[in-house]
Amino acid sequence: MHSAQHSFGSAYASLDDPAFIPKYRAACFCGAVRYEVSADPVDAKICHCKACQALHGAPMQWAAIFHKHQVRFTAGLEQLRFYHSEQGLNERILPCKVSCKHCGTPLADEGRRMWLAFPSLFDFGPAGEVPEPFRPTCHIFYAQRALDIIDPLPKWAGHKGHSARL
């Protein structure tokens, strides 16, 4: 499996890396694609942009952000489907959307340097209690929101720290 792992990219951890200790595990709906992360997310946010709304079929998308070296695939690399929304191509041109070919579950947004994972795909144990580092710190692209969200989190018109705070 590790040869296929390396074909996904050297930025990611490999299965034969003894220093990689899984902290959390995630899988698509059908279980064909599985991956692990070795750390808490760098940040977590809720995105309200029109692209996320359309691609997720939901009013917003919740993402937990990891460095690529904190992510390793344990199953299903051959089941990954990529979509580069800017050019409308099913190719792995970064940044891109990553989903399972079999069940269609959106798995993550792959950025140039980061893996934006969807926390609802993680197994947080029998109680399902979301760990604090996965809890959103802000709303981004809130100017494009489909629904008003009443919570104390900062709401940014666009990207966090690079747009007007609403």
Side-chain angles (χ1 to χ4, degrees):
M1 170 67 183
H2 79 272
S3 61
Q5 172 66 40
H6 289 294
S7 68
F8 192 66
S10 61
Y12 292 86
S14 68
L15 280 172
D16 55 7
D17 179 357
F20 188 99
I21 299 167
K23 187 164 186 172
Y24 304 105
R25 291 178 170 84
C28 64
F29 181 78
C30 73
V33 178
R34 297 180 182 280
Y35 69 91
E36 304 169 329
V37 296
S38 61
D40 286 327
V42 176
D43 196 5
K45 49 85 179 161
I46 297 175
C47 184
H48 296 264
C49 81
K50 296 293 185 193
C52 284
Q53 291 175 30
L55 290 163
H56 289 265
M60 63 202 81
Q61 171 241 74
W62 173 29
I65 304 164
F66 295 91
H67 292 283
K68 289 182 178 182
H69 68 269
Q70 298 170 331
V71 177
R72 77 172 174 192
F73 288 87
T74 56
L77 278 179
E78 69 287 346
Q79 293 299 321
L80 295 179
R81 178 175 54 211
F82 303 98
Y83 181 68
H84 182 70
S85 57
E86 290 173 27
Q87 297 179 33
L89 298 173
N90 286 105
E91 291 181 34
R92 190 175 174 214
I93 301 168
L94 304 181
C96 66
K97 304 287 182 180
V98 184
S99 60
C100 173
K101 283 182 193 174
H102 186 71
C103 67
T105 299
L107 294 164
D109 290 348
E110 184 182 9
R112 289 175 185 87
R113 292 180 306 279
M114 308 300 274
W115 180 258
L116 287 72
F118 305 134
S120 53
L121 303 182
F122 283 79
D123 177 1
F124 294 127
E129 180 68 25
V130 175
E132 190 61 35
F134 281 84
R135 296 185 185 278
T137 62
C138 68
H139 294 268
I140 61 172
F141 294 95
Y142 195 71
Q144 298 177 36
R145 69 191 176 278
L147 298 169
D148 289 336
I149 305 298
I150 310 303
D151 67 20
L153 297 178
K155 294 168 177 76
W156 298 91
H159 279 293
K160 178 180 180 178
H162 299 282
S163 63
R165 191 159 163 190
L166 304 177

